[in-house]
Amino acid sequence: MAIDLSNYEDCATLNKWFQGNYPMGSMRILDKYIEVIKNKDGNRIDELFIATTGVYRDNNDISPAVMNIARGLQSEYPKHMQRFFAEDVITSSYGRCLALLKATDKTATKDEMRKVNDQPIKNVYGRSGNSQVIEMALRKSFADDAKPSSDAVQWSIGDVAEALSSKPKPQECAHGVMMLKEGTAKTGKPYYGYVCSAPKGEQCDAKWAVTAANGSWFFREED
């Protein structure tokens, strides 16, 4: 069943509203994540891009008024748009921020929901089995806004991305999204974690990941 697009606003309309109400405001990219997806032979078959953005009512504000995230797979875009898919993801994230700031009934934008209506389900990762479940989960997440909040929780693209990736999702604290710290210590031991962005003396405890048996990073439940 097609989604009723009349319940959503497009990014251009939301941006016009923002400029009219907050002429000194700004929109910024806060974080981004790129993952090249390969098949079992090591050949590139797709690319995942995740963007976290924030909207500031005034350009001098220290923290954003709202934040949101958008995700996209390059293969979901038409051939002539695939080279610009990352820019489209960023625009979608901005649109979601503006929808939150304006307090609209829907967080997703009309541009996103139009893709859900227009794009047929195409299995990228395989013909059947778990790969098809992942494909459906990725596409299903954009339709969540069309359902009542009382519905059962669906898999989000973020959940799938974290399952596919060797690195966990960004961490947050009382001061917002934390800053990523990764590298190799003088002892030769690699580290991966997030630290608070607040000034010294006000910072929350850092969150450091540990490695699983397969070598992937994860955060313990108590963190």
Side-chain angles (χ1 to χ4, degrees):
M1 180 181 294
I3 297 170
D4 184 3
L5 298 180
S6 65
N7 295 323
Y8 300 83
E9 293 190 63
D10 57 45
C11 292
T13 301
L14 289 167
N15 185 55
K16 185 176 181 179
W17 169 85
F18 177 67
Q19 296 297 330
N21 286 273
Y22 301 98
M24 299 300 294
S26 64
M27 295 181 286
R28 306 174 196 173
I29 300 173
L30 303 178
D31 194 15
K32 56 185 178 181
Y33 170 82
I34 301 173
E35 180 180 353
V36 175
I37 300 172
K38 300 180 180 181
N39 60 18
K40 62 181 181 180
D41 298 319
N43 298 317
R44 182 188 183 282
I45 59 173
D46 211 341
E47 185 172 316
L48 173 71
F49 182 73
I50 304 174
T52 302
T53 62
V55 169
Y56 298 72
R57 294 189 179 93
D58 189 283
N59 195 46
N60 296 315
D61 289 345
I62 298 176
S63 301
V66 292
M67 298 168 54
N68 214 302
I69 189 169
R71 312 159 179 88
L73 281 171
Q74 189 176 40
S75 62
E76 293 182 334
Y77 288 77
K79 290 291 185 182
H80 68 283
M81 282 291 295
Q82 288 187 357
R83 61 182 298 188
F84 306 111
F85 92 103
E87 289 89 336
D88 187 76
V89 171
I90 293 170
T91 300
S92 294
S93 185
Y94 282 149
R96 285 174 165 261
C97 284
L98 295 175
L100 283 175
L101 185 64
K102 190 179 179 182
T104 61
D105 292 334
K106 302 292 184 180
T107 302
T109 64
K110 182 180 291 186
D111 310 76
E112 292 174 310
M113 305 315 293
R114 184 178 290 114
K115 294 173 190 174
V116 176
N117 278 349
D118 296 343
Q119 186 76 13
I121 297 297
K122 180 179 68 173
N123 192 1
V124 174
Y125 301 102
R127 296 183 179 277
S128 61
N130 291 338
S131 57
Q132 191 173 41
V133 173
I134 294 175
E135 182 72 21
M136 294 294 291
L138 288 165
R139 295 182 180 277
K140 190 68 174 175
S141 64
F142 276 126
D144 286 345
D145 277 318
K147 294 186 175 183
S149 58
S150 59
D151 280 8
V153 176
Q154 302 289 331
W155 274 21
S156 68
I157 293 182
D159 296 330
V160 177
E162 187 174 3
L164 292 174
S165 173
S166 62
K167 296 182 179 180
K169 61 185 178 182
Q171 300 295 295
E172 296 184 8
C173 66
H175 299 96
V177 178
M178 305 178 78
M179 296 186 297
L180 174 63
K181 295 289 183 180
E182 63 177 322
T184 303
K186 293 181 179 180
T187 59
K189 184 178 180 180
Y191 61 87
Y192 183 92
Y194 286 83
V195 297
C196 180
S197 60
K200 289 185 177 180
E202 302 177 16
Q203 293 181 340
C204 301
D205 292 338
K207 299 183 180 182
W208 299 106
V210 295
T211 53
N214 63 359
S216 63
W217 293 105
F218 74 97
F219 289 96
R220 298 184 187 278
E221 290 296 327
E222 58 267 27
D223 290 341

